[in-house]
Amino acid sequence: MHFLKALIISLLPLAVLGAKKPAPDKFQTYHSKALSSAPLKLDDSIYGKLTTAPRDYSAAVLLTALESRFGCALCQDFQPEWDLLSKSWTRGDKKGESRLIFGTLDFSDGKSTFQSLGLQTAPVLLFFPPTTGPHAVSETGPVRYDFTNGPQSAEQIHAWISRHLDGRPHPQVVRPIKWGLWIASITALLGGISFLAVFGPYILPVLQNRNLWAAFSLLAILLFTSGHMFNHIRKVPYVAGDGRGGVSYFAGGFSSQYGLETQIVAAMYGFLAFATISLAIKVPRISDPKTQQVAVLIWGAAIFLMYSFLLSIFRIKNGGYPFWLPPFS
């Protein structure tokens, strides 16, 4: 009897050692690592273990090429958004209820994986749905995200991933507060208020000056009626050759013009406006009748000659224009 008890006791350690240990949960292993560092940095081996079926979790893997020697500007631009999304999701789902793992595989660490997938460009975002469990799908292959529209924001990728995770939590993207921008904005606002408080009594009379606003209005009218916006929209040349070794200042036809032509026409309009204002306002204030008559003749002749030149330009623009005044024809 004592011998039997001793035999059983001696066999217990062997039974314990022989007992098969339960396989660790793959998701919990990766999720615990992601809590300290998300997204997971992958290599060929870890990528294979993470994405190999069967899996009762989802995996979103970004295949990228971040080294400068590859010259992937899109990879560099998108990486901060990807890091922000993975960190926000992992922090918002510490219990792992969404059962989603984020990973990043750089080309320098996963050349074999890039070759096996036949990838010639980067970045490539792959989503691996679960193959077992309540959310398993029939197709075990990954779903690929399209980067044809350029770098995407974290919110756009979040919406794309959320569509593949029905019935599971979708932690929101939490962007960090840009304290530098807030401080700069508040400082600029306080500086502006202080500037107005100190210099306001000197600036306000200038802003309320009617002559100043009249001058600005007149300049704007002359600028836009002469074709300034047309030049910006059509990207017209400043001048062009006339075919004989000279320079052409005016383009033929009413549907085209040059940059210098716009400036000449604006100057002509400005001169006519100034002459008309002087003839209507300044000349009547002259007390000497003879001087007033001379001023009327001078300004009248100036308006006549400038208007004659303006009509000649109209005839250059359109040879069929019927009106003209001497001495320009």
Side-chain angles (χ1 to χ4, degrees):
M1 193 68 179
H2 292 288
F3 174 76
L4 182 59
K5 289 182 180 181
L7 180 61
I8 294 174
I9 293 173
S10 63
L11 292 176
L12 283 176
L14 297 177
V16 172
L17 293 174
K20 187 176 181 180
K21 295 182 179 180
D25 188 349
K26 287 173 58 178
F27 172 76
Q28 291 299 332
T29 301
Y30 292 124
H31 182 65
S32 60
K33 294 180 180 179
L35 288 175
S36 58
S37 177
L40 295 177
K41 186 177 181 180
L42 309 179
D43 56 22
D44 287 327
S45 176
I46 300 177
Y47 173 86
K49 295 177 182 178
L50 178 66
T51 59
T52 300
R55 56 180 180 273
D56 59 351
Y57 57 87
S58 304
V61 180
L62 176 67
L63 296 97
T64 184
L66 296 176
E67 292 188 12
S68 58
R69 60 192 176 99
F70 299 124
C72 181
L74 182 58
C75 299
Q76 300 288 345
D77 294 339
F78 178 66
Q79 191 63 37
E81 296 294 312
W82 175 250
D83 292 339
L84 174 64
L85 172 61
S86 59
K87 286 181 172 60
S88 298
W89 192 295
T90 304
R91 291 172 183 172
D93 186 27
K94 293 184 177 181
K95 296 182 179 180
E97 296 177 354
S98 63
R99 299 190 71 79
L100 174 63
I101 300 297
F102 289 88
T104 301
L105 178 62
D106 194 275
F107 179 77
S108 58
D109 300 321
K111 295 180 181 179
S112 299
T113 301
F114 274 77
Q115 293 174 357
S116 63
L117 295 175
L119 299 179
Q120 301 294 329
T121 59
V124 174
L125 178 58
L126 300 178
F127 178 82
F128 295 85
T131 58
T132 60
H135 301 289
V137 296
S138 56
E139 296 184 4
T140 59
V143 183
R144 180 168 175 170
Y145 184 81
D146 187 11
F147 280 94
T148 55
N149 295 326
Q152 305 294 307
S153 66
E155 288 78 9
Q156 290 174 302
I157 304 299
H158 179 279
W160 179 75
I161 292 177
S162 298
R163 289 197 296 268
H164 298 283
L165 296 175
D166 292 335
R168 281 159 283 182
H170 306 145
Q172 296 299 315
V173 176
V174 180
R175 293 189 175 273
I177 299 176
K178 298 181 180 180
W179 293 109
L181 179 61
W182 275 95
I183 293 173
S185 301
I186 294 174
T187 303
L189 178 62
L190 295 177
I193 294 174
S194 301
F195 179 83
L196 292 176
V198 174
F199 296 99
Y202 306 99
I203 297 176
L204 191 59
V206 177
L207 296 178
Q208 292 177 339
N209 189 295
R210 293 194 304 172
N211 293 331
L212 179 64
W213 286 107
F216 279 131
S217 300
L218 185 59
L219 287 174
I221 292 171
L222 294 175
L223 184 66
F224 290 108
T225 56
S226 62
H228 176 72
M229 290 306 300
F230 182 93
N231 295 346
H232 275 276
I233 295 172
R234 297 291 184 90
K235 306 295 183 183
V236 301
Y238 189 68
V239 292
D242 60 359
R244 299 186 297 272
V247 177
S248 178
Y249 300 101
F250 301 97
F254 286 138
S255 61
S256 61
Q257 65 183 22
Y258 300 138
L260 183 58
E261 175 184 341
T262 300
Q263 298 174 5
I264 295 174
V265 172
M268 294 171 61
Y269 284 160
F271 180 83
L272 289 172
F274 179 76
T276 303
I277 293 172
S278 299
L279 190 61
I281 297 177
K282 299 296 183 180
V283 173
R285 297 177 183 177
I286 300 176
S287 58
D288 185 16
K290 291 185 178 181
T291 305
Q292 190 180 67
Q293 283 184 341
V294 173
V296 169
L297 292 175
I298 292 175
W299 286 118
I303 292 175
F304 183 86
L305 292 173
M306 185 58 69
Y307 194 67
S308 173
F309 182 58
L310 183 62
L311 290 179
S312 69
I313 294 177
F314 287 167
R315 293 175 66 85
I316 295 174
K317 301 290 291 183
N318 188 352
Y321 192 75
F323 304 106
W324 64 279
L325 285 174
F328 303 100
S329 61

